[in-house]
Amino acid sequence: MKVTPIPFKKRLGLELFSLWRDSIVRQHPLQYLFWECTLRCNLSCVHCGSDCRKISQSPDMPLADFIKTIQTIMPSVEPNKTMIVLTGGEPLMRNDLAQCGQALYDLGFPWGMVTNGLLLNKKRFIALEQAGLRSITVSLDGFEEAHNHMRGSCESFKNALNAIQIIAQSDSDVIFDVVTCVNQWNFNELVKLKELLIETGVKAWRLFTVFPIGRAADNKDLQLDAVQFKQLFDFIHDMRKEGRIKADYGCEGFLGNYETEVRDSFFFCRAGITVGSVLADGSISACPNLRSNFIQGNIYKDNFMDIWNNRYQAFRNRSWAKQGDCAACKYYKYCKGNGMHLRSENGNLLFCHFNRLKEDPHAF
């Protein structure tokens, strides 16, 4: 595919989507709430956005504290339409994870989790499912050499693949996908990895690229060059046409003519608009990958819904982001300055997907 020009029909779709997005911004319904339930992790990934350590200095948030916050939210939302996603760190480091899920389920909230799969076995998966688990994402970053290099553990690939097999081969109706961080170590094995996932029974595969925050900022060799970057989107586009596995690119970045070709909808950074988060220390933010300067409050001194309704201005009015490369970009009205997690402490854009695509000499 070509990155530009964007045909008239797609430009019209972008215009209509922009009007709908502006309406959602005004309403800002809380639809997803991430709970950073622990900062502990059993891996040391070279691309970790949160830069967690195996033994965190920050203790896990007590379940009772988070439930108290959820109870204050309940009068303002429809619980069955607000998804709570447990993240970390590694959520399975909490021995009470099933209890956490059950408490949310008892209050009427669907809940899910993101895991590296290292600690997931059949018994534990069944316990989580019985506690109301509705969705689970397992990370797999290539075959053994590539994945173990990324994850810093010689056991990681084996255990992650075992976790994927347990879920894929179960009779569960839990929504399940595999997520892969595409980088220089695994780029050339994506075709074989696709076949492995299909053979294992995986129905949905989400791919994303490394962004320069956390440890990844010090591992620039993980990033794809411009030609590889465009080839990745062609690969995803072709998989979607093929229909053997549902492939999607992550939710970040305006992609020009690839919009709606490599994921189901147009780009929309929902951080602080429909997505909020409670971090391990009680901080109220949006996506857990955001920097501390985007924190809006803290559950130990603020009411979450008061913060949600009356702050988050930087998320909902993105005029401040029209600077640098964005200032003269004719697609700014569709992109609004990329994902919030790709903004530095000073608000500068760290990475532009559209510009990287245009660097490929075959992009036009």
Side-chain angles (χ1 to χ4, degrees), residues 3 17 20 24 35 51 76 79 81 103 120 134 138 186 190 226 245 247 251 282 313 325 327 340:
V3 179
F17 186 82
W20 175 82
I24 295 298
W35 178 28
D51 200 18
S76 304
K81 294 183 179 179
L120 190 68
R134 301 307 310 139
V138 181
N186 63 21
L190 290 178
I245 187 170
C251 60
Q313 289 86 353
D325 289 344
M340 291 289 286

Side-chain angles (χ1 to χ4, degrees), residues 271-287:
I273 298 171
T274 64
V275 177
S277 70
V278 174
L279 305 184
D281 65 354
S283 294
I284 299 171
S285 188
C287 290

Side-chain angles (χ1 to χ4, degrees), residues 115-127:
T115 178
N116 60 39
L118 201 65
L119 297 176
L120 190 68
N121 53 40
K122 188 171 184 179
K123 180 179 179 181
R124 197 156 192 201
F125 175 67
I126 291 172

Side-chain angles (χ1 to χ4, degrees), residues 304-359:
F304 182 93
M305 289 309 299
D306 284 346
I307 299 298
W308 180 255
N309 288 324
N310 298 307
R311 297 191 191 176
Y312 287 90
Q313 289 86 353
F315 297 82
R316 297 166 188 171
N317 181 352
R318 298 286 294 273
S319 58
W320 60 269
K322 197 172 184 179
Q323 57 178 300
D325 289 344
C326 298
C329 180
K330 64 180 180 180
Y331 297 115
Y332 172 81
K333 67 181 296 185
Y334 308 134
C335 177
K336 296 296 184 182
N338 213 322
M340 291 289 286
H341 66 290
L342 291 173
R343 291 281 166 175
S344 71
E345 290 84 352
N346 298 320
N348 298 321
L349 183 62
L350 297 170
F351 186 86
C352 175
H353 293 69
F354 187 59
N355 283 345
R356 175 59 59 87
L357 279 167
K358 290 192 299 182
E359 290 171 9

Side-chain angles (χ1 to χ4, degrees), residues 55-326:
I55 301 176
S56 172
Q57 295 179 348
S58 178
D60 297 351
M61 177 183 288
L63 171 60
D65 293 0
F66 185 66
I67 293 300
K68 182 178 179 181
T69 297
I70 293 301
Q71 289 170 332
T72 67
I73 291 172
M74 291 180 67
S76 304
V77 302
E78 294 183 60
N80 63 343
K81 294 183 179 179
T82 304
M83 183 73 178
I84 299 178
V85 180
L86 278 57
T87 184
E90 169 51 47
L92 288 169
M93 294 289 286
R94 289 189 67 129
N95 293 328
D96 66 344
L97 192 64
Q99 294 171 257
C100 295
Q102 185 67 57
L104 296 170
Y105 180 80
D106 289 344
L107 292 174
F109 289 88
W111 67 279
M113 60 179 291
V114 181
T115 178
N116 60 39
L118 201 65
L119 297 176
L120 190 68
N121 53 40
K122 188 171 184 179
K123 180 179 179 181
R124 197 156 192 201
F125 175 67
I126 291 172
L128 294 171
E129 187 181 14
Q130 290 175 342
L133 180 71
R134 301 307 310 139
S135 74
I136 185 168
T137 295
V138 181
S139 298
L140 187 69
D141 293 327
F143 286 90
E144 190 162 12
E145 181 180 4
H147 180 87
N148 288 348
H149 168 76
M150 291 288 287
R151 299 287 162 174
S153 167
C154 62
E155 299 293 321
S156 183
F157 173 79
K158 177 183 68 175
N159 287 25
L161 183 58
N162 181 62
I164 291 168
Q165 291 169 336
I166 288 171
I167 304 167
Q169 296 169 12
S170 72
D171 294 327
S172 171
D173 60 355
V174 171
I175 299 169
F176 165 54
D177 69 350
V178 170
V179 64
T180 296
C181 175
V182 181
N183 60 85
Q184 293 288 353
W185 281 79
N186 63 21
F187 181 78
N188 291 323
E189 57 188 35
L190 290 178
V191 174
K192 291 183 178 179
L193 187 59
K194 177 191 75 171
E195 295 301 329
L196 173 65
L197 295 178
I198 293 172
E199 180 184 335
T200 305
V202 175
K203 305 297 183 185
W205 188 20
R206 187 156 37 98
L207 302 96
F208 70 99
T209 42
V210 174
F211 40 89
I213 66 173
R215 295 177 197 160
D218 300 321
N219 289 276
K220 292 181 172 50
D221 60 318
L222 294 176
Q223 294 191 33
L224 304 181
D225 62 37
V227 173
Q228 292 171 323
F229 199 66
K230 184 177 181 301
Q231 287 175 344
L232 171 63
F233 294 112
D234 288 331
F235 174 64
I236 297 173
H237 172 267
D238 291 345
M239 278 194 291
R240 290 170 68 89
K241 291 290 186 182
E242 184 183 49
R244 297 173 62 213
I245 187 170
K246 187 180 187 303
D248 292 280
Y249 184 64
C251 60
E252 59 185 16
F254 177 74
L255 305 174
N257 201 27
Y258 284 94
E259 288 294 313
T260 68
E261 304 294 333
V262 295
R263 56 189 170 212
D264 292 343
S265 63
F266 292 109
F267 170 68
F268 179 13
C269 178
R270 296 172 180 268
I273 298 171
T274 64
V275 177
S277 70
V278 174
L279 305 184
D281 65 354
S283 294
I284 299 171
S285 188
C287 290
N289 282 327
L290 296 181
R291 290 163 176 75
S292 59
N293 56 310
F294 288 116
I295 288 172
Q296 303 297 300
N298 192 289
I299 63 167
Y300 291 113
K301 61 184 181 71
D302 300 305
N303 178 279
F304 182 93
M305 289 309 299
D306 284 346
I307 299 298
W308 180 255
N309 288 324
N310 298 307
R311 297 191 191 176
Y312 287 90
Q313 289 86 353
F315 297 82
R316 297 166 188 171
N317 181 352
R318 298 286 294 273
S319 58
W320 60 269
K322 197 172 184 179
Q323 57 178 300
D325 289 344
C326 298

